[in-house]
């Protein structure tokens, strides 16, 4: 039996939201915390921060029409290095400064020229309270970096990163979203062309972007002291014996398995929170540990970083989308391994099933447009790939030209067609949500065309095998085959370990800033918010800029 055009998967990619930032004024803002004797060091630090931040291109989330940040495969590791360079500078703010001598802070402030009596009085107020022996309460400069503004990806609100640790997490989340968005644009371009003219260079580039994005999201989770988790089947090397691997570990998880897994992860997280977070010297005292915990606790007020659920969800979706591209590449080969395609599709379905649960039940600010779009996206992808997996099982039988496999193909394809009917209203709901967004509306036509093509090919192949059985074999139709085991060929590309930049060990830059504790917000900002507006639902008043 001659196999017709294989079914191209609807690997339409998700828009993860808009996470962008205004240009921070490092020079003017850091000067407020600078030591007068080391003003040149402050300027050097600010200059390097400005250059490193600008290289990340996080000021605007890329649109479909904007120029891609990732033109070649070398651009991905290059961007990763730029990301690590900026993070290394940020990390220096969180490391303990040298102990200050008694009354050193007062002497520095007394050296500030005074032009106004009230100004002089305020300048001489100690920025950090000192203990009786003269040691500073703040042991690092984490609170100096409290002026970076970000657009929250879930709510669209503007929030402050109130510390270097918070800026570290925001940058990682934004970098991962940038990679996912760029991959989305490449996938759209691929799907808009004929599959016979598949641009493998762009396909591989989008695939690598998604794997790197997953790694960046996991680094974001680690930065906020949340253990990254994994779902789906274990990663399998195609060079190994695939059948043995999947029989033991590749089964699609059911609800009981996932409930047990979530409970184990919850207990593991509780144990992690009980441990003291070690610093670079492994000598962190109780005060510093409490300061770190309080600093990270502030992130619970930021919707797209609260409890790490949004970065974790995006990491899972990025891996699922990467595996979708593996299936797309597989069905465009001259010889298609439909058994492998069925197992890969089953794993994708299991991944989206778990993503949908998180998006609908645990995601912060779940009523926002972005959260709702993610939920609807996962809701239709899960049954879609279960139907596609069943179709591929039928396609395996179609290749064997005998009566038994012909009628088994009929049974499998009938089941696939039935499953697909249940996907249609879910996909239409997702299309409706996309149409409500001006930018997303332009992508609806492409999604609809690919989705309908899937349905048409299932119907076409079902007609072929049904007609063959009715005209040649006349065999009764058996029960469809059980769902196959799942197989995964994707895993995150880990972000290299980030260490503090050597610039912080330069004599001119070292201790150029005064150790400063983290504050939720200044009194002036709080007063202005109380007078001019009410906090928006889903975020606290200390984070929102009205």
């Amino acid at each position: 039996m001659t196999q017709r055009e294989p079914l191209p998967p609807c690997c339409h990619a998700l828009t993860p939201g808009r996470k962008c930032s205004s240009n921070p004024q490092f020079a003017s803002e850091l000067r407020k915390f600078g030591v007068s004797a080391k003003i040149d060091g402050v300027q050097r630090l600010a200059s390097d921060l400005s250059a490193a931040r600008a290289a990340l291109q996080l000021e605007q989330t890329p649109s479909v029409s904007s120029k891609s940040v990732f033109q070649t495969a070398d651009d991905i590791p290059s961007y990763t290095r730029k990301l690590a360079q900026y993070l290394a500078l940020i990390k220096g703010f969180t490391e303990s400064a040298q102990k200050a001598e008694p009354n050193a802070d007062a002497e520095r402030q007394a050296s500030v020229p005074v032009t106004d009596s009230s100004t002089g009085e305020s300048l001489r107020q100690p920025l950090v309270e000192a203990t009786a022996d003269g040691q500073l309460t703040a042991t690092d400069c984490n609170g100096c970096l409290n002026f970076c503004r970000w657009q929250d990806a879930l709510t669209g609100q503007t929030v402050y990163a109130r510390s270097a640790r918070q800026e570290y997490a925001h940058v990682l989340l934004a970098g991962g979203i940038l990679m996912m968005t760029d991959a989305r644009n490449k996938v759209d371009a691929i799907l808009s062309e004929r599959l016979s003219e598949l641009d493998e260079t762009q396909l591989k580039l989008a695939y690598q972007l998604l794997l790197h994005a997953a790694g960046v999201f996991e680094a974001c989770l680690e930065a906020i002291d949340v253990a990254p988790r994994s779902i789906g089947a274990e990663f399998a090397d195609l060079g190994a014996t695939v059948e043995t691997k999947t029989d033991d570990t590749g089964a699609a998880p059911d609800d009981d398995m996932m409930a047990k897994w979530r409970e184990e992860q919850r207990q593991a997280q509780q144990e992690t929170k009980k441990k003291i977070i070690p610093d670079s010297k492994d000598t962190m005292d109780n005060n510093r540990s409490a300061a770190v915990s309080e600093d990270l606790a502030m992130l619970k007020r930021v919707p797209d970083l609260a409890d790490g659920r949004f970065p974790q969800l995006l990491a899972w979706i990025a891996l699922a989308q990467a595996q979708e591209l593996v299936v797309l590449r597989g069905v465009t080969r001259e010889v298609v391994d439909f058994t492998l395609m069925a197992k890969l599709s089953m794993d994708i379905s299991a991944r989206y099933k778990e993503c949908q649960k998180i998006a609908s039940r645990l995601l912060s600010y779940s009523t926002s447009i972005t959260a709702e779009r993610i939920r609807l996206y996962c809701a239709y992808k899960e049954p879609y790939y279960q139907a596609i997996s069943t179709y591929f099982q039928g396609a395996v039988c179609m290749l064997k030209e005998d009566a038994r496999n012909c009628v088994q193909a009929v049974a499998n394809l009938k089941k696939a067609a039935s499953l697909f009917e249940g996907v249609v209203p879910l996909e239409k709901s997702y299309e409706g949500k996309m149409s409500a967004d001006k930018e997303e509306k332009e992508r609806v036509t492409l999604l609809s065309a690919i989705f309908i093509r899937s349905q048409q090919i299932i119907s076409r192949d079902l007609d072929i095998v049904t007609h063959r059985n009715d005209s040649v074999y006349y065999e009764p139709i058996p029960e469809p085959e059980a769902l196959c085991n799942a197989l995964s060929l994707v895993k995150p590309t880990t972000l290299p370990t980030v260490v503090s930049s050597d610039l912080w060990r330069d004599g001119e830059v070292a201790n150029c800033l005064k150790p400063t504790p983290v504050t939720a917000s200044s009194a002036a900002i709080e007063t202005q918010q109380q007078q001019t507006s009410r906090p928006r639902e889903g975020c606290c008043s200390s984070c929102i800029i009205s």
Side-chain angles (χ1 to χ4, degrees):
M1 184 180 297
T2 302
Q3 177 65 32
R4 306 294 182 89
E5 175 194 355
L7 184 150
C10 183
C11 50
H12 166 86
L14 172 74
T15 297
R18 299 174 179 85
K19 181 74 174 178
C20 53
S21 171
S22 58
N23 285 315
Q25 302 299 316
F26 290 107
S28 59
E29 294 291 344
L30 290 180
R31 194 176 296 118
K32 301 174 184 177
F33 304 98
V35 176
S36 58
K38 290 193 172 184
I39 193 64
D40 291 340
V42 176
Q43 292 177 350
R44 280 186 58 192
L45 178 61
S47 177
D48 282 17
L49 282 167
S50 298
R53 177 66 119 76
L56 298 180
Q57 303 185 42
L58 300 178
E59 287 70 34
Q60 183 177 1
T61 302
S63 61
V64 176
S65 58
S66 62
K67 183 179 179 181
S68 172
V69 179
F70 306 95
Q71 299 283 350
T72 66
D74 292 337
D75 290 338
I76 301 177
S78 175
Y79 187 86
T80 302
R81 288 192 295 270
K82 294 175 183 177
L83 184 61
Q85 181 181 0
Y86 180 71
L87 294 176
L89 290 170
I90 298 300
K91 196 175 184 68
F93 284 87
T94 66
E95 295 185 346
S96 296
Q98 296 179 1
K99 291 185 178 180
E101 298 178 0
N103 301 321
D105 191 61
E107 292 176 2
R108 292 170 185 157
Q109 294 183 28
S111 65
V112 177
V114 178
T115 57
D116 180 78
S117 59
S118 60
T119 304
E121 185 66 25
S122 63
L123 285 174
R124 288 190 170 87
Q125 295 297 322
L127 293 175
V128 184
E129 294 294 336
T131 59
D133 59 359
Q135 291 188 352
L136 299 176
T137 302
T139 60
D140 56 33
C141 301
N142 185 41
C144 297
L145 206 64
N146 63 357
F147 48 84
C148 297
R149 297 192 299 177
W150 289 93
Q151 179 178 340
D152 186 85
L154 275 178
T155 65
Q157 298 170 354
T158 302
V159 298
Y160 273 120
R162 290 296 179 185
S163 68
R165 290 188 187 90
Q166 295 179 25
E167 169 71 1
Y168 196 99
H170 279 290
V171 168
L172 284 169
L173 179 59
I177 288 178
L178 176 69
M179 291 179 174
M180 278 191 75
T181 305
D182 206 297
R184 176 207 68 181
N185 294 342
K186 296 184 187 306
V187 171
D188 282 356
I190 291 170
L191 295 179
S192 62
E193 302 293 336
R194 295 174 60 89
L195 289 181
S196 58
E197 302 171 356
L198 183 69
D199 189 339
E200 291 201 15
T201 300
Q202 292 301 305
L203 180 68
K204 292 177 181 178
L205 192 54
Y207 173 75
Q208 289 297 329
L209 277 171
L210 291 169
L211 297 185
H212 279 78
V216 171
F217 289 134
E218 290 196 349
C220 177
L221 290 170
E222 293 171 352
I224 59 177
D225 196 30
V226 175
R229 298 174 289 170
S230 60
I231 57 175
E234 292 185 7
F235 175 78
D237 187 352
L238 278 183
T241 305
V242 175
E243 293 297 330
T244 302
K245 185 76 174 179
T246 55
D247 286 343
D248 294 335
T249 61
D254 56 22
D255 290 342
D256 291 339
M257 292 171 61
M258 295 310 300
K260 180 180 178 181
W261 169 79
R262 283 192 292 270
E263 177 63 21
E264 291 174 351
Q265 291 295 327
R266 185 186 65 80
Q267 294 177 359
Q269 279 192 318
Q270 288 180 347
E271 291 298 324
T272 301
K273 291 179 180 179
K274 294 178 182 179
K275 298 178 181 179
I276 297 177
I277 306 172
D279 68 353
S280 59
K281 299 180 181 179
D282 295 327
T283 58
M284 181 183 297
D285 57 20
N286 292 334
N287 289 337
R288 178 170 170 79
S289 179
V292 172
S293 299
E294 178 65 23
D295 187 11
L296 296 178
M298 291 183 187
L299 291 178
K300 293 182 180 294
R301 307 167 183 172
V302 182
D304 62 11
L305 288 172
D307 299 315
R309 288 167 181 165
F310 187 57
Q312 180 66 88
L313 179 60
L314 292 184
W316 290 348
I317 292 176
L319 289 179
Q321 290 182 169
Q323 182 126 312
E324 290 184 68
L325 296 183
V326 176
V327 176
L328 177 62
R329 177 65 186 90
V331 299
T332 56
R333 288 182 176 274
E334 186 175 350
V335 178
V336 181
D337 186 344
F338 288 111
T339 300
L340 176 60
M341 297 300 104
K343 293 178 178 181
L344 294 176
S345 298
M346 197 65 237
D347 179 64
I348 296 171
S349 176
R351 289 176 184 272
Y352 279 121
K353 181 178 181 180
E354 188 63 18
C355 288
Q356 199 272 336
K357 291 179 181 178
I358 300 298
S360 59
R361 301 176 188 176
L362 300 177
L363 196 61
S364 176
Y365 212 95
S366 59
T367 58
S368 69
I369 294 176
T370 299
E372 183 69 6
R373 183 171 63 241
I374 294 175
R375 184 186 66 79
L376 293 174
Y377 176 84
C378 298
Y380 100 82
K381 284 275 188 169
E382 181 260 320
Y384 172 84
Y385 274 98
Q386 184 175 335
I388 296 305
S389 177
T390 305
Y391 163 80
F392 285 136
Q393 287 180 290
V396 172
C397 297
M398 287 184 69
L399 296 178
K400 303 172 183 178
E401 300 185 8
D402 57 50
R404 183 178 64 83
N405 282 288
C406 179
V407 293
Q408 190 62 64
V410 173
N412 291 345
L413 293 178
K414 278 187 175 180
K415 180 182 177 182
S418 176
L419 290 172
F420 207 94
E421 288 297 327
V423 180
V424 173
L426 298 175
E427 191 273 342
K428 293 301 179 184
S429 296
Y430 175 64
E431 282 189 13
K433 180 59 66 174
M434 288 181 64
S435 299
D437 186 286
K438 183 178 180 180
E439 181 178 339
E440 288 288 280
K441 187 176 182 179
E442 301 174 357
R443 307 177 64 221
V444 172
T445 302
L446 178 61
L447 166 62
S448 180
I450 298 295
F451 183 80
I452 292 174
R453 186 59 181 155
S454 299
Q455 190 174 28
Q456 290 173 340
I457 291 180
I458 292 175
S459 178
R460 179 204 67 189
D461 288 353
L462 177 58
D463 289 343
I464 291 174
V465 292
T466 300
H467 180 267
R468 176 169 287 270
N469 184 58
D470 291 344
S471 60
V472 178
Y473 299 119
Y474 305 104
E475 293 288 337
I477 307 301
E479 291 294 320
E481 293 179 287
L483 295 174
C484 65
N485 292 332
L487 177 69
S488 172
L489 296 180
V490 294
K491 62 179 180 179
T493 301
T494 305
L495 186 72
T497 303
V498 177
V499 296
S500 178
S501 172
D502 291 338
L503 181 65
W504 286 97
R505 288 178 282 279
D506 185 279
E508 188 178 39
V509 176
N511 295 328
C512 68
L513 300 175
K514 302 168 187 174
T516 307
V518 179
T519 56
S521 62
S522 66
I525 293 178
E526 289 181 341
T527 302
Q528 182 181 8
Q529 288 177 340
Q530 292 173 1
Q531 293 176 350
T532 60
S533 66
R534 296 175 57 190
R536 298 181 187 178
E537 182 181 357
C539 192
C540 77
S541 59
S542 64
C543 295
I544 299 173
I545 303 174
S546 301

